Amino acid sequence: MSVIYTSTRGNGGSLKASEAIIKGLADDGGLFVPDKLPEFGFGLDELKDMDYKETAYAVMSLLLTDYTEEELRDCINRAYDAKFDTGLIAPLVKKGDKYFLELFHGKTIAFKDMALSILPYLLTTAIRKNRINKKVVILTATSGDTGKAALAGFSDVEGTEIIVFYPKGGVSRIQELQMVTEKGRNTRVFGVNGNFDDCQSGVKAIFNDEALKKELDEKGYVFSSANSINIGRLVPQIAYYVYAYGSMLKSGELEAGEKVNFVVPTGNFGNILAAFYAKKMGLPVGKLICASNSNNVLYDFFKTGEYDKNREFVLTASPSMDILISSNLERLIYHIAGNDPVKNRELMESLQRNGRYRITEEMKEGLSDFYGVYATEEQTFAEIRELFNRTGYMIDTHTAVASFAESVYRNESGDASKNIIISTASPYKFARSVYKAIKGEVSSEDDFVIADDLSDLSKTGIPDAVRQIRNADIIHNKVCECSEMREAVRGSLV
Ligand SMILES: *Cc1c(COP(=O)(O)O)cnc(C)c1O
């Protein structure tokens, strides 16, 4: 059964998976969505005997139907290898009475590695399959973690160039150093004087800039995206939800068929949307708990049915979730409108024009799979401290938002199902905030000294990702205004 991809706004054509991965964003400005979500072809009790790669193949082959088995298995084998510091790839751990799915064992110690380790292979395979003889330019806006994960994934990959824009001053010191020390010859990194939404809007505008596309086409370039608007990011993310379920079966924490809830620290809504797709494909999932920080636009949306980005943008200790325009929500809107591109387009135009939209009562019923919670900075820090004091387990600020939300949900709902907290980054990536949460104040002005201290405290080793940037040279030091992003791209591609 082949799955076709169409745009959430209705005028983006009908594409095969590989074509949609190359394009990234649809020509009408919408996002690609699968025309169906096939049911899993395996029995749930089989899951406990499947390793990560087998699970990934079983899931991804249902949605990337124009890839041959050989192509897809090759992509999976090359992605989920010794780059990860554990053969489990995505270990599920129990600490106290909480379950964490650790998605930070890849090269850049954040969950973006789960999809960005495989996207370059999916994309280069797609280019080969579709006989495209152009260089693919990956344009990426990052709130901190996508940038480095994409740079690492695409570094020196033949036939690709990658350009990353990050909010100058809006990412952690370690995140910034990870990006600006990137050595790949095909990589460019720019700080932008603006926030993540500015970066993302700038990149989207470049994608929709016909004159620029034409000019670069003549020079032999075609744009694609490594952001979670690309279905090549979204599809691999479904796999770890299924894998988590298998791990719970294996350890006897769940019976096959028993419902589980996922608590997802959310920014651009990509990760939690993958969980929603997993549910629609047949994974026994109860609620999807959408955990936000003080930029709680999604919390308000789930409560009221109104999405309103007209509010102050807050810089928090969980910067990868400092987002007011959650791109992937557009896919959910499209689905709860009954896969209606006309209705979706209306709402997105309202968002563009007025910064807000309200969904109908009928659509609101489609949100019943979700439950919104948000954590203030104080609650986030307290969560890190209390969990550490109780269990000795150290979590990063993003995971802490979710861990807090898990407790809130448990108290408010009375739901006795098990909740799996999606752990999206290593505490070392946000060493300063984590240390401060536990000890009250930082031990040094130097983030690397703080990392040493975290290591002593938690009795865990400093990850290679942090070790490697400690004395690395800064290669990328360009900063631009939002209005200069287009020229930055032109200037990078001669
Ligand atoms: C990107 C990111 C998130 C948010 O994920 P979305 O898919 O954008 O919702 C949460 N935590 C960390 C550490 C991240 O890097």
Side-chain angles (χ1 to χ4, degrees):
M1 192 168 52
S2 62
V3 174
I4 294 296
Y5 291 82
T6 59
S7 166
T8 49
R9 300 196 191 174
N11 295 311
S14 297
L15 277 67
K16 295 177 190 154
S18 66
E19 296 168 329
I21 287 174
I22 295 171
K23 262 201 169 318
L25 197 66
D27 284 338
D28 62 355
L31 275 59
F32 287 112
V33 275
D35 67 343
K36 53 178 112 39
L37 289 166
E39 297 258 323
F40 293 132
F42 44 83
L44 287 172
D45 43 351
E46 290 170 55
L47 274 180
K48 61 175 181 298
D49 301 317
M50 286 158 68
D51 68 8
Y52 194 83
K53 289 182 198 174
E54 286 170 296
T55 310
Y57 178 76
V59 171
M60 292 172 63
S61 57
L62 292 173
L63 285 165
L64 306 182
T65 48
D66 70 319
Y67 285 71
T68 65
E69 172 163 1
E70 193 190 348
E71 285 168 343
L72 197 51
R73 285 201 191 274
D74 180 56
C75 290
I76 289 169
N77 287 336
R78 289 161 71 173
Y80 303 114
D81 62 7
K83 285 192 280 302
F84 286 78
D85 68 11
T86 160
L88 293 174
I89 307 295
L92 189 113
V93 302
K94 186 174 185 189
K95 300 289 169 180
D97 56 356
K98 292 187 185 240
Y99 300 91
F100 295 88
L101 180 67
E102 293 186 348
L103 301 180
F104 54 77
H105 290 274
K107 245 184 176 171
T108 76
I109 58 176
F111 95 94
K112 305 294 198 294
D113 289 326
M114 300 303 296
L116 284 163
S117 299
I118 193 164
L119 182 65
Y121 299 114
L122 293 175
L123 186 64
T124 44
T125 306
I127 291 167
R128 210 166 44 238
K129 288 170 78 67
N130 290 284
R131 302 184 204 293
I132 303 220
N133 46 16
K134 291 205 184 331
K135 234 181 185 181
V136 180
V137 181
I138 308 294
L139 278 189
T140 295
T142 181
S143 55
D145 289 328
T146 291
K148 180 59 187 187
L151 289 165
F154 282 96
S155 180
D156 291 325
V157 171
E158 187 120 1
T160 70
E161 296 280 336
I162 170 158
I163 305 176
V164 169
F165 294 99
Y166 72 93
K168 183 75 191 168
V171 301
S172 85
R173 179 73 187 138
I174 301 225
Q175 286 179 312
E176 181 169 37
L177 278 175
Q178 281 188 304
M179 291 187 275
V180 299
T181 57
E182 169 59 46
K183 291 197 189 73
R185 287 183 308 270
N186 60 341
T187 62
R188 306 271 190 299
V189 180
F190 296 92
V192 176
N193 287 321
N195 60 37
F196 170 71
D197 288 327
D198 298 325
C199 295
Q200 180 158 260
S201 301
V203 163
K204 277 196 175 176
I206 295 170
F207 267 115
N208 293 322
D209 186 328
E210 291 305 325
L212 182 61
K213 265 201 269 190
K214 184 154 179 289
E215 179 187 332
L216 292 178
D217 180 72
E218 282 160 10
K219 289 185 183 164
Y221 293 110
V222 54
F223 285 135
S224 187
S225 166
N227 281 103
S228 53
I229 53 174
N230 194 319
I231 58 124
R233 274 277 299 274
L234 210 50
V235 171
Q237 291 182 179
I238 302 171
Y240 50 73
Y241 289 101
V242 179
Y243 181 73
Y245 195 92
S247 304
M248 293 286 275
L249 290 178
K250 193 168 187 170
S251 60
E253 300 285 350
L254 279 183
E255 304 270 344
E258 190 181 340
K259 279 190 179 161
V260 71
N261 303 319
F262 289 110
V263 194
V264 188
T266 296
N268 224 358
F269 211 74
N271 202 358
I272 197 167
L273 188 76
F276 177 71
Y277 280 176
K279 176 171 182 171
K280 294 288 163 201
M281 293 171 79
L283 196 69
V285 177
K287 289 283 180 194
L288 301 168
I289 296 129
C290 176
S292 303
N293 64 22
S294 308
N295 293 294
N296 56 0
V297 58
L298 287 165
Y299 168 81
D300 289 344
F301 172 67
F302 287 125
K303 233 185 174 70
T304 65
E306 182 178 56
Y307 193 89
D308 186 355
K309 74 158 180 100
N310 301 303
R311 60 180 75 205
E312 197 192 342
F313 185 99
V314 190
L315 288 176
T316 73
S318 44
S320 302
M321 294 156 67
D322 289 346
I323 294 176
L324 291 179
I325 310 173
S326 295
S327 281
N328 273 291
L329 189 65
E330 176 167 349
R331 287 185 164 113
L332 181 66
I333 298 293
Y334 168 87
H335 292 309
I336 62 173
N339 295 349
D340 181 349
V342 176
K343 182 73 203 157
N344 174 63
R345 181 154 18 100
E346 253 169 51
L347 296 174
M348 293 306 132
E349 280 167 5
S350 165
L351 180 65
Q352 181 90 30
R353 243 188 346 264
N354 312 315
R356 62 168 169 263
Y357 60 82
R358 178 179 285 282
I359 61 171
T360 62
E361 282 307 311
E362 197 185 348
M363 285 172 72
K364 220 177 145 191
E365 284 166 27
L367 297 182
S368 61
D369 291 318
F370 294 87
Y371 192 95
V373 182
Y374 78 95
T376 63
E377 293 292 89
E378 226 167 281
Q379 289 165 330
T380 307
F381 279 56
E383 184 69 25
I384 294 173
R385 182 173 58 249
E386 283 160 20
L387 185 73
F388 179 74
N389 289 341
R390 201 165 68 240
T391 65
Y393 185 58
M394 209 177 259
I395 54 174
D396 94 292
T397 45
H398 303 75
T399 309
V401 169
S403 183
F404 174 79
E406 194 261 352
S407 303
V408 171
Y409 174 75
R410 218 193 298 198
N411 292 335
E412 286 180 356
S413 69
D415 179 354
S417 311
K418 296 196 166 113
N419 304 314
I420 298 178
I421 297 160
I422 304 304
S423 182
T424 49
S426 156
Y428 286 96
K429 202 156 189 177
F430 301 93
R432 175 173 293 268
S433 297
V434 172
Y435 192 89
K436 199 168 164 196
I438 293 170
K439 288 291 191 181
E441 53 190 35
V442 290
S443 51
S444 163
E445 278 315 302
D446 183 337
D447 286 68
F448 294 99
V449 174
I450 300 176
D452 289 337
D453 294 338
L454 269 193
S455 174
D456 289 342
L457 260 182
S458 64
K459 300 180 184 67
T460 58
I462 297 181
D464 285 346
V466 173
R467 221 183 279 282
Q468 282 158 5
I469 55 171
R470 195 160 192 158
N471 298 306
D473 292 333
I474 291 181
I475 293 171
H476 309 274
N477 53 14
K478 292 200 180 119
V479 178
C480 70
E481 302 302 320
C482 303
S483 59
E484 294 167 343
M485 288 171 64
R486 183 183 192 270
E487 280 314 300
V489 169
R490 281 189 73 218
S492 301
L493 306 169
V494 282

